Amino acid sequence: MELRILGCSGGIGTEMTTTSLLVDGDILIDGGTGLTELELDEMKAIRHIFVTHSHLDHIAGIPMLLDSVFDYIREPVVLHARAETLRALKDHIFNWQIWPDFSCLPSADAPVLRFEEMKPGERIQVGNRSIEMIAVNHAVPAAGYRVQNGVGSFAFSGDTTSNEGFWTALNRHDALDMLIVESAFPDEDRELSSKARHYCPGLLAADLKKLRHRPQLFLTHLKPGSEERIIDQCRDQIEFLDVQRLCGGDRFTL
């Protein structure tokens, strides 16, 4: 299983794009501005998009992606998300005001996009990959995902703060090779972090003690300008795991 990090920053700027993960070339997890890293042929190969939540930094690239591949799609791209996320996308993005409704273009019988509701705890099989949705605690209804094939597994928290469900769900499995988890703010912004329902190093360190696995740990969604401070604070408090910073362009084989 090949994992390519298209974008993972908490903001935009030179060499910074927002969250989007590509699995084996045909599965996207989130569709932020990191999608601009793909060539057209790579965009055409995407068949499934699993969205964590409706915030703009995680979905901004999806409308443009669909527009770019419109003439080449013979079967709809399937967008999987919680019911609340699908409703937000339909009401506020694919509503003909902000962007065309690709779920009925070029026709309702043969659309470019198909929405498919996914519930927390549900697993979907795509080829030899099993994708499990896990509810998390964020400012809007949100989810993380655990992805597994016959050889390896990784989990992505999406945007979240302190919770029990994500860690309980991961502990139900026998193994976890890689964990990508957010830590958006440094500890001095803990009050803001709690209001926005994001992790800061102290909150993340406390929650990681709930995990019985010892995976590779990569931090994502770091606020621009605070990256090194967040990483240093996490390393000071998470002594039982090797803390690494996730970067756009990273590639992993599981």
Side-chain angles (χ1 to χ4, degrees):
M1 182 164 57
E2 301 294 328
L3 174 62
R4 177 181 170 189
I5 310 304
L6 303 177
C8 60
S9 176
I12 60 170
T14 303
E15 298 183 352
M16 291 188 298
T17 56
T18 65
T19 303
S20 189
L21 286 60
L22 183 65
V23 181
D24 291 336
D26 64 332
I27 296 174
L28 274 179
I29 300 178
D30 280 343
T33 62
L35 289 180
T36 58
E37 299 300 311
L38 293 176
E39 301 286 345
L40 180 60
D41 283 346
E42 293 173 319
M43 295 183 195
K44 288 156 58 176
I46 294 168
R47 307 308 315 136
H48 294 265
I49 305 174
F50 291 83
V51 177
T52 60
H53 66 293
S54 59
H55 281 166
L56 192 61
D57 54 328
H58 294 257
I59 59 99
I62 296 174
M64 294 300 296
L65 165 72
L66 296 170
D67 191 58
S68 296
V69 302
F70 184 87
D71 291 334
Y72 306 98
I73 295 297
R74 298 296 173 261
E75 294 184 0
V77 175
V78 184
L79 192 154
H80 309 265
R82 294 183 62 157
E84 301 93 336
T85 304
L86 295 182
R87 176 49 53 198
L89 290 172
K90 293 174 183 178
D91 287 350
H92 303 297
I93 303 296
F94 299 103
N95 61 2
W96 295 103
Q97 303 300 312
I98 300 300
W99 208 246
D101 182 1
F102 280 113
S103 68
C104 62
L105 288 175
S107 71
D109 294 330
V112 169
L113 174 66
R114 187 174 88 235
F115 295 110
E116 189 165 301
E117 180 184 345
M118 191 172 181
K119 297 178 180 179
E122 184 178 354
R123 299 181 194 180
I124 291 178
Q125 197 74 24
V126 180
N128 69 337
R129 288 75 43 96
S130 174
I131 300 96
E132 176 184 358
M133 175 183 276
I134 305 170
V136 295
N137 177 17
H138 192 40
V140 295
Y145 291 99
R146 183 184 184 278
V147 183
Q148 179 173 354
N149 65 0
V151 179
S153 62
F154 75 91
F156 171 50
S157 71
D159 287 7
T160 189
T161 188
S162 304
N163 70 94
E164 298 293 332
F166 185 66
W167 311 105
T168 298
L170 296 182
N171 286 337
R172 292 194 187 104
H173 296 274
D174 292 334
L176 180 66
D177 298 306
M178 180 179 177
L179 173 62
I180 300 172
V181 64
E182 71 123 284
S183 185
F185 297 95
D187 276 337
E188 49 266 38
D189 292 333
R190 182 164 179 160
E191 182 178 354
L192 176 60
S193 180
S194 295
K195 287 181 179 179
R197 295 194 191 176
H198 282 285
Y199 276 127
C200 62
L203 295 175
L204 176 58
D207 262 19
L208 278 169
K209 293 177 181 178
K210 304 170 185 175
L211 182 65
R212 67 181 182 89
H213 305 298
R214 291 296 177 262
Q216 291 182 284
L217 176 64
F218 291 87
L219 299 184
T220 185
H221 209 287
L222 310 178
K223 287 298 180 184
S226 299
E227 295 95 340
E228 294 304 320
R229 191 156 72 256
I230 295 169
I231 293 292
D232 289 344
Q233 290 176 355
C234 283
R235 286 175 174 159
D236 286 344
Q237 299 176 72
I238 305 169
E239 299 178 350
F240 47 93
L241 291 173
D242 180 22
V243 177
Q244 298 294 325
R245 176 181 173 183
L246 195 69
C247 295
D250 284 349
R251 295 173 184 255
F252 305 94
T253 300
L254 295 102

